[in-house]
mmCIF file of all heavy atoms in Angstrom:
data_model
loop_
_atom_site.group_PDB
_atom_site.id
_atom_site.type_symbol
_atom_site.label_atom_id
_atom_site.label_comp_id
_atom_site.label_asym_id
_atom_site.label_seq_id
_atom_site.Cartn_x
_atom_site.Cartn_y
_atom_site.Cartn_z
ATOM 1 N N ARG R 310 19.666 49.865 49.317
ATOM 2 C CA ARG R 310 19.966 48.437 49.305
ATOM 3 C C ARG R 310 18.848 47.617 48.692
ATOM 4 O O ARG R 310 19.088 46.732 47.866
ATOM 5 C CB ARG R 310 20.221 47.965 50.745
ATOM 6 C CG ARG R 310 20.587 46.486 50.869
ATOM 7 C CD ARG R 310 20.495 46.030 52.318
ATOM 8 N NE ARG R 310 19.106 46.067 52.788
ATOM 9 C CZ ARG R 310 18.773 45.931 54.083
ATOM 10 N NH1 ARG R 310 19.712 45.781 55.016
ATOM 11 N NH2 ARG R 310 17.508 45.963 54.433
ATOM 12 N N ASP R 311 17.586 47.903 49.061
ATOM 13 C CA ASP R 311 16.452 47.066 48.653
ATOM 14 C C ASP R 311 15.708 47.593 47.440
ATOM 15 O O ASP R 311 14.927 46.866 46.823
ATOM 16 C CB ASP R 311 15.466 46.922 49.812
ATOM 17 C CG ASP R 311 16.104 46.266 51.032
ATOM 18 O OD1 ASP R 311 17.058 45.488 50.849
ATOM 19 O OD2 ASP R 311 15.630 46.531 52.153
ATOM 20 N N GLY R 312 15.915 48.876 47.105
ATOM 21 C CA GLY R 312 15.184 49.443 45.979
ATOM 22 C C GLY R 312 13.854 50.029 46.421
ATOM 23 O O GLY R 312 13.400 49.838 47.555
ATOM 24 N N PRO R 313 13.175 50.732 45.546
ATOM 25 C CA PRO R 313 11.927 51.402 45.906
ATOM 26 C C PRO R 313 10.795 50.412 46.134
ATOM 27 O O PRO R 313 10.811 49.286 45.641
ATOM 28 C CB PRO R 313 11.643 52.294 44.687
ATOM 29 C CG PRO R 313 12.334 51.598 43.553
ATOM 30 C CD PRO R 313 13.562 50.974 44.140
ATOM 31 N N ASN R 314 9.795 50.876 46.863
ATOM 32 C CA ASN R 314 8.618 50.058 47.168
ATOM 33 C C ASN R 314 7.619 50.185 46.011
ATOM 34 O O ASN R 314 6.535 50.741 46.144
ATOM 35 C CB ASN R 314 7.983 50.537 48.477
ATOM 36 C CG ASN R 314 6.750 49.726 48.843
ATOM 37 O OD1 ASN R 314 6.687 48.524 48.589
ATOM 38 N ND2 ASN R 314 5.759 50.398 49.420
ATOM 39 N N THR R 315 8.005 49.662 44.884
ATOM 40 C CA THR R 315 7.135 49.649 43.703
ATOM 41 C C THR R 315 7.136 48.253 43.120
ATOM 42 O O THR R 315 8.097 47.498 43.274
ATOM 43 C CB THR R 315 7.626 50.648 42.638
ATOM 44 O OG1 THR R 315 8.981 50.334 42.284
ATOM 45 C CG2 THR R 315 7.541 52.076 43.153
ATOM 46 N N LEU R 316 6.052 47.929 42.458
ATOM 47 C CA LEU R 316 5.945 46.614 41.842
ATOM 48 C C LEU R 316 6.746 46.570 40.551
ATOM 49 O O LEU R 316 6.702 47.521 39.762
ATOM 50 C CB LEU R 316 4.487 46.280 41.548
ATOM 51 C CG LEU R 316 3.594 46.128 42.776
ATOM 52 C CD1 LEU R 316 2.161 45.896 42.343
ATOM 53 C CD2 LEU R 316 4.064 44.993 43.658
ATOM 54 N N PRO R 317 7.479 45.493 40.318
ATOM 55 C CA PRO R 317 8.250 45.401 39.076
ATOM 56 C C PRO R 317 7.338 45.326 37.860
ATOM 57 O O PRO R 317 6.336 44.618 37.867
ATOM 58 C CB PRO R 317 9.055 44.103 39.249
ATOM 59 C CG PRO R 317 8.255 43.292 40.224
ATOM 60 C CD PRO R 317 7.605 44.277 41.150
ATOM 61 N N VAL R 318 7.687 46.073 36.850
ATOM 62 C CA VAL R 318 6.914 46.080 35.611
ATOM 63 C C VAL R 318 7.752 45.425 34.523
ATOM 64 O O VAL R 318 8.846 45.898 34.211
ATOM 65 C CB VAL R 318 6.545 47.513 35.200
ATOM 66 C CG1 VAL R 318 5.755 47.509 33.894
ATOM 67 C CG2 VAL R 318 5.729 48.178 36.296
ATOM 68 N N PRO R 319 7.291 44.325 33.959
ATOM 69 C CA PRO R 319 8.070 43.657 32.910
ATOM 70 C C PRO R 319 8.158 44.543 31.682
ATOM 71 O O PRO R 319 7.283 45.371 31.430
ATOM 72 C CB PRO R 319 7.259 42.390 32.622
ATOM 73 C CG PRO R 319 5.865 42.749 33.002
ATOM 74 C CD PRO R 319 5.977 43.687 34.161
ATOM 75 N N PRO R 320 9.223 44.391 30.925
ATOM 76 C CA PRO R 320 9.336 45.198 29.699
ATOM 77 C C PRO R 320 8.209 44.869 28.725
ATOM 78 O O PRO R 320 7.947 43.706 28.430
ATOM 79 C CB PRO R 320 10.700 44.789 29.142
ATOM 80 C CG PRO R 320 10.973 43.439 29.731
ATOM 81 C CD PRO R 320 10.344 43.453 31.082
ATOM 82 N N ARG R 321 7.547 45.890 28.276
ATOM 83 C CA ARG R 321 6.472 45.690 27.308
ATOM 84 C C ARG R 321 7.052 45.702 25.908
ATOM 85 O O ARG R 321 7.987 46.430 25.617
ATOM 86 C CB ARG R 321 5.420 46.803 27.428
ATOM 87 C CG ARG R 321 4.691 46.815 28.741
ATOM 88 C CD ARG R 321 3.594 47.861 28.711
ATOM 89 N NE ARG R 321 2.648 47.584 27.651
ATOM 90 C CZ ARG R 321 1.868 48.498 27.105
ATOM 91 N NH1 ARG R 321 1.964 49.748 27.490
ATOM 92 N NH2 ARG R 321 1.025 48.179 26.153
ATOM 93 N N PRO R 322 6.498 44.896 25.028
ATOM 94 C CA PRO R 322 6.997 44.915 23.655
ATOM 95 C C PRO R 322 6.775 46.282 23.027
ATOM 96 O O PRO R 322 5.759 46.933 23.269
ATOM 97 C CB PRO R 322 6.162 43.827 22.958
ATOM 98 C CG PRO R 322 4.953 43.659 23.813
ATOM 99 C CD PRO R 322 5.395 43.938 25.210
ATOM 100 N N ARG R 323 7.734 46.700 22.229
ATOM 101 C CA ARG R 323 7.611 47.993 21.575
ATOM 102 C C ARG R 323 6.448 47.960 20.579
ATOM 103 O O ARG R 323 6.168 46.924 19.970
ATOM 104 C CB ARG R 323 8.907 48.330 20.852
ATOM 105 C CG ARG R 323 10.092 48.496 21.792
ATOM 106 C CD ARG R 323 11.351 48.777 20.994
ATOM 107 N NE ARG R 323 12.511 48.911 21.863
ATOM 108 C CZ ARG R 323 13.750 49.111 21.423
ATOM 109 N NH1 ARG R 323 13.977 49.180 20.114
ATOM 110 N NH2 ARG R 323 14.747 49.223 22.279
ATOM 111 N N PRO R 324 5.794 49.114 20.414
ATOM 112 C CA PRO R 324 4.683 49.158 19.458
ATOM 113 C C PRO R 324 5.077 48.673 18.072
ATOM 114 O O PRO R 324 4.282 48.005 17.398
ATOM 115 C CB PRO R 324 4.298 50.643 19.452
ATOM 116 C CG PRO R 324 4.697 51.140 20.805
ATOM 117 C CD PRO R 324 5.939 50.384 21.151
ATOM 118 N N ILE R 325 6.313 48.984 17.664
ATOM 119 C CA ILE R 325 6.718 48.567 16.321
ATOM 120 C C ILE R 325 6.795 47.042 16.222
ATOM 121 O O ILE R 325 6.504 46.452 15.172
ATOM 122 C CB ILE R 325 8.072 49.218 15.940
ATOM 123 C CG1 ILE R 325 8.347 48.975 14.451
ATOM 124 C CG2 ILE R 325 9.197 48.685 16.817
ATOM 125 C CD1 ILE R 325 9.556 49.743 13.955
ATOM 126 N N LEU R 326 7.171 46.394 17.361
ATOM 127 C CA LEU R 326 7.221 44.927 17.345
ATOM 128 C C LEU R 326 5.809 44.332 17.334
ATOM 129 O O LEU R 326 5.568 43.301 16.703
ATOM 130 C CB LEU R 326 8.002 44.428 18.564
ATOM 131 C CG LEU R 326 9.489 44.810 18.605
ATOM 132 C CD1 LEU R 326 10.138 44.260 19.863
ATOM 133 C CD2 LEU R 326 10.193 44.275 17.361
ATOM 134 N N LEU R 327 4.878 44.985 18.075
ATOM 135 C CA LEU R 327 3.498 44.516 18.043
ATOM 136 C C LEU R 327 2.923 44.619 16.630
ATOM 137 O O LEU R 327 2.242 43.706 16.147
ATOM 138 C CB LEU R 327 2.641 45.336 19.010
ATOM 139 C CG LEU R 327 2.878 45.122 20.509
ATOM 140 C CD1 LEU R 327 2.019 46.081 21.315
ATOM 141 C CD2 LEU R 327 2.586 43.685 20.904
ATOM 142 N N MET R 328 3.210 45.747 15.965
ATOM 143 C CA MET R 328 2.717 45.926 14.605
ATOM 144 C C MET R 328 3.357 44.904 13.674
ATOM 145 O O MET R 328 2.695 44.338 12.794
ATOM 146 C CB MET R 328 3.030 47.346 14.125
ATOM 147 C CG MET R 328 2.472 47.662 12.746
ATOM 148 S SD MET R 328 0.664 47.587 12.715
ATOM 149 C CE MET R 328 0.341 47.905 10.980
ATOM 150 N N ALA R 329 4.657 44.645 13.878
ATOM 151 C CA ALA R 329 5.340 43.657 13.046
ATOM 152 C C ALA R 329 4.716 42.275 13.210
ATOM 153 O O ALA R 329 4.594 41.509 12.246
ATOM 154 C CB ALA R 329 6.825 43.614 13.397
ATOM 155 N N GLY R 330 4.288 41.953 14.423
ATOM 156 C CA GLY R 330 3.643 40.668 14.649
ATOM 157 C C GLY R 330 2.344 40.533 13.882
ATOM 158 O O GLY R 330 2.005 39.452 13.391
ATOM 159 N N GLN R 331 1.608 41.643 13.761
ATOM 160 C CA GLN R 331 0.349 41.601 13.016
ATOM 161 C C GLN R 331 0.577 41.475 11.507
ATOM 162 O O GLN R 331 -0.326 41.079 10.774
ATOM 163 C CB GLN R 331 -0.477 42.862 13.297
ATOM 164 C CG GLN R 331 -0.920 43.000 14.741
ATOM 165 C CD GLN R 331 -1.845 41.888 15.168
ATOM 166 O OE1 GLN R 331 -2.496 41.240 14.351
ATOM 167 N NE2 GLN R 331 -1.903 41.647 16.474
ATOM 168 N N LEU R 332 1.770 41.827 11.060
ATOM 169 C CA LEU R 332 2.070 41.782 9.630
ATOM 170 C C LEU R 332 2.830 40.538 9.216
ATOM 171 O O LEU R 332 3.135 40.367 8.030
ATOM 172 C CB LEU R 332 2.873 43.025 9.221
ATOM 173 C CG LEU R 332 2.187 44.379 9.434
ATOM 174 C CD1 LEU R 332 3.139 45.512 9.033
ATOM 175 C CD2 LEU R 332 0.895 44.466 8.642
ATOM 176 N N THR R 333 3.162 39.669 10.196
ATOM 177 C CA THR R 333 4.015 38.522 9.860
ATOM 178 C C THR R 333 3.449 37.189 10.343
ATOM 179 O O THR R 333 4.181 36.207 10.399
ATOM 180 C CB THR R 333 5.423 38.721 10.465
ATOM 181 O OG1 THR R 333 5.314 38.936 11.883
ATOM 182 C CG2 THR R 333 6.131 39.899 9.825
ATOM 183 N N HIS R 334 2.171 37.136 10.736
ATOM 184 C CA HIS R 334 1.607 35.829 11.065
ATOM 185 C C HIS R 334 1.384 35.037 9.774
ATOM 186 O O HIS R 334 1.559 35.553 8.668
ATOM 187 C CB HIS R 334 0.325 35.963 11.885
ATOM 188 C CG HIS R 334 -0.735 36.798 11.246
ATOM 189 N ND1 HIS R 334 -1.491 36.370 10.188
ATOM 190 C CD2 HIS R 334 -1.165 38.056 11.521
ATOM 191 C CE1 HIS R 334 -2.344 37.301 9.841
ATOM 192 N NE2 HIS R 334 -2.161 38.353 10.629
ATOM 193 N N PHE R 335 0.957 33.784 9.937
ATOM 194 C CA PHE R 335 0.956 32.871 8.793
ATOM 195 C C PHE R 335 0.121 33.393 7.627
ATOM 196 O O PHE R 335 0.563 33.391 6.473
ATOM 197 C CB PHE R 335 0.431 31.497 9.242
ATOM 198 C CG PHE R 335 0.427 30.465 8.145
ATOM 199 C CD1 PHE R 335 1.598 29.818 7.785
ATOM 200 C CD2 PHE R 335 -0.745 30.154 7.471
ATOM 201 C CE1 PHE R 335 1.593 28.870 6.773
ATOM 202 C CE2 PHE R 335 -0.763 29.215 6.465
ATOM 203 C CZ PHE R 335 0.422 28.568 6.114
ATOM 204 N N PHE R 336 -1.093 33.829 7.909
ATOM 205 C CA PHE R 336 -1.968 34.305 6.845
ATOM 206 C C PHE R 336 -1.362 35.528 6.165
ATOM 207 O O PHE R 336 -1.374 35.662 4.937
ATOM 208 C CB PHE R 336 -3.342 34.633 7.428
ATOM 209 C CG PHE R 336 -4.447 34.605 6.400
ATOM 210 C CD1 PHE R 336 -5.767 34.700 6.789
ATOM 211 C CD2 PHE R 336 -4.179 34.480 5.048
ATOM 212 C CE1 PHE R 336 -6.800 34.671 5.859
ATOM 213 C CE2 PHE R 336 -5.199 34.446 4.107
ATOM 214 C CZ PHE R 336 -6.499 34.551 4.513
ATOM 215 N N ALA R 337 -0.841 36.466 6.981
ATOM 216 C CA ALA R 337 -0.245 37.670 6.406
ATOM 217 C C ALA R 337 0.962 37.321 5.536
ATOM 218 O O ALA R 337 1.156 37.901 4.457
ATOM 219 C CB ALA R 337 0.162 38.632 7.525
ATOM 220 N N LEU R 338 1.778 36.370 5.975
ATOM 221 C CA LEU R 338 2.933 35.967 5.176
ATOM 222 C C LEU R 338 2.502 35.378 3.837
ATOM 223 O O LEU R 338 3.143 35.613 2.801
ATOM 224 C CB LEU R 338 3.779 34.952 5.956
ATOM 225 C CG LEU R 338 4.544 35.503 7.166
ATOM 226 C CD1 LEU R 338 5.254 34.373 7.908
ATOM 227 C CD2 LEU R 338 5.555 36.558 6.725
#
Side-chain angles (χ1 to χ4, degrees):
R310 182 194 66 191
D311 300 333
N314 180 35
T315 57
L316 295 176
V318 179
R321 295 185 60 203
R323 296 178 181 178
I325 190 172
L326 295 180
L327 290 176
M328 184 63 183
Q331 296 297 337
L332 299 178
T333 56
H334 56 74
F335 182 79
F336 203 171
L338 290 176

